[in-house]
Amino acid sequence: MLETSSNELLESFNAEASDSVKSQHARNFLEYCCFKALALSTRVMGHLADKKFRRLTFDMMVAWEAPASASECLVNLDDDLSVGVEAFSRIAPAVPIIANVIICENLFNVLTISTDGRLHFSVYDKYLNGLERVIKRMKSQSESSLLSAVRRSRGEKILEVDGTVTTQPVLEHVGVSTWPGRLILTDHALYFEALKVVSYDKPKRYDLSNDLKQIVKPELTGPWGTRLFDKAVLYKSISISEPVVIEFPELKGHTRRDYWLAIIREILYVHKFINKYRVTGVEKDDALSKAILGILRVQAIQEISSSNPVQFESLLMFNLCEQLPGGYFILETLAKMSKSRELDRGNNLVAGGGMYSISALAMVSNLGFVFDSCSSSSNPSEAGLLVGEVVVGEMSLLEKAVKESRDDYKRVVLAQETVAGVKVDGIDTNLAVMKELLLPVLEVGKGLLSLVYWDDPPKSLMFCLIFTFIIFRGWVGYALALMVLFFAIFMVLTRFFNQGRPVDEIKIIAPPPMNTMEQLLAVQNAVSQFEQLIQDGNIILLKFRALLLSVFPQASEKVAASLLLTALMVALLPGKYMFLLIFLEIFTRYSPVRKASTERWMRRLREWWFSIPAAPVVLEREKEDKKKK
């Protein structure tokens, strides 16, 4: 294919490769030859339809798993061989239409869901055949007359169309009005064409490319405004006066809605990435190419696995980056790689042609989609985009970021499994668990209350003297730091002594089971108590309002005088002494010396509070005619 002898290939590999890449010579040399061959073969239009190309890429994965001459000899490649996730993740992203570094593992899991984690050629061939079909369909849509005037001015490409079949309508809800029509997604916007008698109305454009604070999320719909069916997508932005709801009716499930939600968000997220990191020129087209190829892969997976449910977000790289714990780090790495490629172009640096895979933009251009920045050149490399994201014998920055993010995600999944395992049902059972977990805090609270109420005078006196000295010397910050240090030392010692031991389970005494009527009564009692708390809170607020408005002048004068005295103390006394006075007031209130006077003043304070009237409240009901309207 390369019309080059093996010795010449070996010489060029040794000349271009670094010492670290040469260390694992067989596999890295194999990758080098594969990347060079794939870069050449993918330039041919319609290469995905070529059975030899499909078999070649699969055989590359087979050879990657046993690259050395000392490996087990695989003579007959026509047998039903299979490959693992490592070989697929290494070779498949070298052809960006087949896979992407970020989503390749999820794609492999979807393709091998029924084959125990090994990919067979029959499934792989079926997947590439589906890719070929969806590419032809997308090209025919982009070359059709749909939105021709609008797209020509903006250079947009049609990615998906729905609503053309009467059995699968698309409905647009704006306010109380509903219209059937045709929904069109391009690489910059979402269009809806309302259906007239024999034609479609002028398309409405919902922008996804500019920063308009767009919100795209699932939505419930139903007749007369009821929220019954989870089959719609809501679009909201500052460019439209009210949200738009696009409904995808179907008899069972909400697969159509989930698919459209994922691909709309993919276009929205790729433009957010472009706007946030200020990606321009060829790099912008490359980012859009990644999103387009991701949507093509999802469409192919839909065709070949219609019976199995698919999480579309896991197969779209920008959707996945929004979900993964370290997704922001992956996007930052993508942006840095774009900047470094820009710098390389400015310095006229050209990377070795065989050491890197081809780029997403080169792949899209070879499929027949041409972007504005590359329209002057038939070859994207001539327009300035040099390399892809897979490097021979090394993990690229992007692959390292993806691996780190996936490791974090696995830890999150394990943590969530423990959370799901400790959830219990029933209000009474959850209260028992909470009471047991808060037992140390409750015990500390009881101890502080005991000190405040001077149940044990020597302990309370010692506590007051120690903290008075700490506050007077200005050591409060040091005391708090010492407490935090104590917790840190406790955690380190616990980890050291309990390393490798199973975690002690918390034993909860389960309350007796409650029947349905008892549970309803418990809920009603809790609601009544909560309502009483709200009423008491409203009364307090209304009394404060009455004091502020001098509904009870004598009480308002006393409050104003107290506030004036407090303001003077805050202004004149240092903060240390203010804090000391507050502490002594609280912790000596029930000491043997002050207990009688405190009880007398507290009784007077309650009587004074009860004598304050609440500010008046008037409840206005809506008129009946407004309700009918």
Side-chain angles (χ1 to χ4, degrees), residues 158-227:
I158 292 179
L159 307 181
E160 185 62 286
V161 180
D162 200 353
T164 56
V165 182
T166 55
T167 56
Q168 290 186 327
V170 175
L171 305 177
E172 181 190 56
H173 302 273
V174 181
V176 295
S177 63
T178 302
W179 292 97
R182 180 168 62 189
L183 189 65
I184 303 171
L185 177 68
T186 71
D187 55 353
H188 284 75
L190 188 68
Y191 294 89
F192 183 81
E193 296 177 332
L195 180 62
K196 288 186 175 181
V197 179
V198 293
S199 63
Y200 290 96
D201 199 358
K202 182 180 178 182
K204 298 178 183 177
R205 187 174 193 269
Y206 304 115
D207 193 7
L208 300 173
S209 59
N210 295 317
D211 186 10
L212 300 175
K213 305 293 187 290
Q214 297 99 330
I215 296 175
V216 178
K217 65 177 183 178
E219 184 63 26
L220 300 175
T221 58
W224 302 290
T226 57
R227 295 169 59 84

Side-chain angles (χ1 to χ4, degrees), residues 17-240:
S18 62
D19 293 336
S20 60
V21 173
K22 294 175 186 176
S23 60
Q24 290 185 338
H25 190 274
R27 179 164 285 163
N28 294 342
F29 179 55
L30 173 69
E31 287 186 12
Y32 177 78
C33 297
C34 289
F35 286 5
K36 289 184 75 73
L38 291 173
L40 181 64
S41 59
T42 52
R43 293 179 185 175
V44 180
M45 295 294 289
H47 55 271
L48 280 178
D50 186 358
K51 193 82 173 179
K52 292 181 179 178
F53 174 80
R54 298 179 190 177
R55 188 74 220 193
L56 172 66
T57 55
F58 188 80
D59 290 346
M60 287 177 177
M61 299 177 200
V62 175
W64 191 92
E65 289 192 332
S69 58
S71 304
E72 181 182 353
C73 184
L74 302 171
V75 178
N76 190 357
L77 293 180
D78 293 329
D79 293 338
D80 191 17
L81 297 173
S82 63
V83 296
V85 64
E86 291 185 6
F88 181 82
S89 301
R90 196 63 195 166
I91 300 299
V95 185
I97 181 60
I98 299 177
N100 177 279
V101 168
I102 298 174
I103 59 92
C104 60
E105 189 172 324
N106 294 336
L107 178 61
F108 182 86
N109 293 335
V110 172
L111 293 175
T112 60
I113 192 170
S114 59
T115 54
D116 297 328
R118 299 289 295 181
L119 179 63
H120 295 268
F121 179 72
S122 57
V123 178
Y124 179 72
D125 184 66
K126 188 178 179 182
Y127 167 60
L128 294 193
N129 191 36
L131 277 174
E132 173 66 16
R133 289 197 300 270
V134 298
I135 289 169
K136 288 181 178 178
R137 188 175 70 216
M138 185 178 289
K139 287 175 68 175
S140 65
Q141 289 172 353
S142 290
E143 293 167 359
S144 67
S145 60
L146 294 173
L147 302 170
S148 58
V150 178
R151 292 191 300 109
R152 193 178 298 115
S153 62
R154 296 188 174 93
E156 298 181 18
K157 299 163 186 62
I158 292 179
L159 307 181
E160 185 62 286
V161 180
D162 200 353
T164 56
V165 182
T166 55
T167 56
Q168 290 186 327
V170 175
L171 305 177
E172 181 190 56
H173 302 273
V174 181
V176 295
S177 63
T178 302
W179 292 97
R182 180 168 62 189
L183 189 65
I184 303 171
L185 177 68
T186 71
D187 55 353
H188 284 75
L190 188 68
Y191 294 89
F192 183 81
E193 296 177 332
L195 180 62
K196 288 186 175 181
V197 179
V198 293
S199 63
Y200 290 96
D201 199 358
K202 182 180 178 182
K204 298 178 183 177
R205 187 174 193 269
Y206 304 115
D207 193 7
L208 300 173
S209 59
N210 295 317
D211 186 10
L212 300 175
K213 305 293 187 290
Q214 297 99 330
I215 296 175
V216 178
K217 65 177 183 178
E219 184 63 26
L220 300 175
T221 58
W224 302 290
T226 57
R227 295 169 59 84
L228 297 175
F229 308 118
D230 187 19
K231 301 176 186 294
V233 172
L234 179 141
Y235 173 87
K236 182 180 180 181
S237 75
I238 59 175
S239 63
I240 55 178

